[in-house]
Amino acid sequence: MMKKILVPTDFSVEARHAFEVALVIARKTGAAVKLLHVVETPYVPDFSVTGDTNTPDGMQQVYVLQLLDATKAQMKKLVDAVPHEGVNVLQEVDVDKPIFKIKRTIQEEAIDLVVMGSKGSSGLDEFLIGSNTEKVVRTADCPVLTVKSGQPPFDVQEIVVASDFKREAGQAMERFKAFQELFGARMHLVYINTPGAFESSGNLHRKLEEVAQKHGLQNFSINIYNDTIEEDGILHFAQDIRADLIMMATHGRTGLSHLLSGSIAEDLVNHTNIPVLTFHLK
């Protein structure tokens, strides 16, 4: 049961699209949507949003308070500009390091899903992408959905689940199954077979069938896709079936497991216009 969706925002076009996508999911689940903007200033250690300050320089306090007021006005403008009837939209502006505040909010408010905007390979946005999003994707205790702007309305019919179907066959698959059922989508399990980690198609089919049976999957397909590297294989397969969403599990700081080595989740976010849902395994 999804109760609260977090949307970190910097008021960019990409962040607005993330808000719109979160509203689509909220209407299907009854969840509230929380918009969060984090003001990062050089004076963070000496300042609280209540206006208390430990610094003798009152000008610093005035500067931050004015910045907060302007940011709250931007937040109201964003909420007013996006139709959100029927959804409980919460707003927060705080002074902190973005990644610290996002992680703390996820934990303290039992966030079920984070939706973040991405500019992709044309350039990494200072707040939404780069180190902050990478850290959220790798360490969040809940699924993180990364979306691009300029995409059609968020309607998920074809989902790719790219995996080695080992560790993530448990914890993550149940999360992915719930997302599939939410949209009534078809799930395409895919194993990318590469020259460096080749397995016979027969063995792989049996492995994927066992996963599907164990988790009671319905409306799914099993696919073995050959490519030179895993990232290219996931992208090419997703394009071939015209996927609306790619889902994968990450393994935190160590990157992704056998199949999803290195920083493939982050690479996919940057190199495809298809939304990517990642779930960090403990």
Side-chain angles (χ1 to χ4, degrees):
M1 176 99 179
M2 196 175 294
K3 294 183 179 179
K4 189 179 284 189
I5 301 168
L6 177 65
V7 182
T9 181
D10 62 354
F11 310 114
S12 63
V13 173
E14 292 77 17
R16 173 173 169 150
H17 182 60
F19 180 31
E20 292 168 343
V21 168
L23 290 171
V24 171
I25 299 169
R27 290 191 173 98
K28 287 181 174 291
T29 60
V33 173
K34 177 163 187 172
L35 287 167
L36 172 67
H37 179 83
V38 185
V39 176
E40 190 171 13
T41 81
Y43 318 122
V44 167
D46 301 312
F47 188 85
S48 75
V49 289
T50 60
D52 300 326
T53 180
N54 299 321
T55 175
D57 189 350
M59 289 303 295
Q60 293 179 356
Q61 182 183 11
V62 170
Y63 165 75
V64 177
L65 286 172
Q66 288 176 339
L67 190 57
L68 281 170
D69 286 342
T71 304
K72 289 173 183 176
Q74 270 188 294
M75 184 74 86
K76 183 179 185 304
K77 186 176 179 181
L78 170 63
V79 174
D80 290 345
V82 178
H84 57 275
E85 295 80 9
V87 178
N88 182 18
V89 175
L90 311 169
Q91 306 169 44
E92 182 178 1
V93 175
D94 200 358
V95 180
D96 205 337
K97 294 289 185 184
I99 184 61
F100 295 158
K101 178 63 180 181
I102 292 169
K103 288 176 66 176
R104 197 163 60 247
T105 301
I106 291 169
Q107 294 166 354
E108 293 177 356
E109 301 189 25
I111 298 296
D112 298 294
L113 174 70
V114 176
V115 184
M116 300 186 78
S118 163
K119 288 187 175 178
S121 56
S122 61
L124 302 181
D125 184 271
E126 182 180 341
F127 169 61
L128 287 175
I129 296 299
S131 61
N132 281 315
T133 294
E134 181 176 326
K135 288 171 185 172
V136 173
V137 165
R138 292 190 176 193
T139 63
D141 295 328
C142 65
V144 179
L145 175 62
T146 311
V147 297
K148 301 285 174 67
S149 65
Q151 295 305 299
F154 191 68
D155 181 27
V156 179
Q157 297 299 319
E158 308 293 337
I159 297 174
V160 171
V161 176
S163 174
D164 63 1
F165 300 100
K166 292 179 181 175
R167 283 183 60 185
E168 56 263 50
Q171 190 181 6
M173 191 57 72
E174 288 303 318
R175 300 282 190 121
F176 294 162
K177 181 181 172 184
F179 216 88
Q180 174 200 18
E181 292 171 350
L182 190 64
F183 286 90
R186 183 166 176 80
M187 183 185 288
H188 303 270
L189 307 180
V190 62
Y191 185 103
I192 308 301
N193 221 359
T194 63
F198 185 82
E199 286 194 51
S200 74
S201 293
N203 287 342
L204 292 172
H205 267 284
R206 281 192 294 274
K207 181 190 293 186
L208 270 63
E209 284 167 359
E210 288 171 4
V211 169
Q213 185 175 6
K214 178 180 178 182
H215 295 282
L217 297 186
Q218 296 185 358
N219 194 16
F220 69 95
S221 72
I222 288 174
N223 306 272
I224 313 301
Y225 196 92
N226 298 324
D227 216 315
T228 51
I229 60 174
E230 291 87 348
E231 181 195 347
D232 286 352
I234 295 168
L235 288 176
H236 294 154
F237 176 74
Q239 289 163 359
D240 285 351
I241 68 160
R242 298 185 177 182
D244 303 299
L245 178 66
I246 298 171
M247 302 196 296
M248 61 175 59
T250 70
H251 294 278
R253 294 181 181 277
T254 58
L256 306 173
S257 68
H258 166 61
L259 168 67
L260 307 173
S261 58
S263 58
I264 282 192
E266 291 82 6
D267 289 343
L268 282 174
V269 164
N270 289 330
H271 296 138
T272 180
N273 285 327
I274 302 170
V276 179
L277 180 75
T278 54
F279 179 59
H280 167 60
L281 298 175
K282 299 291 183 294

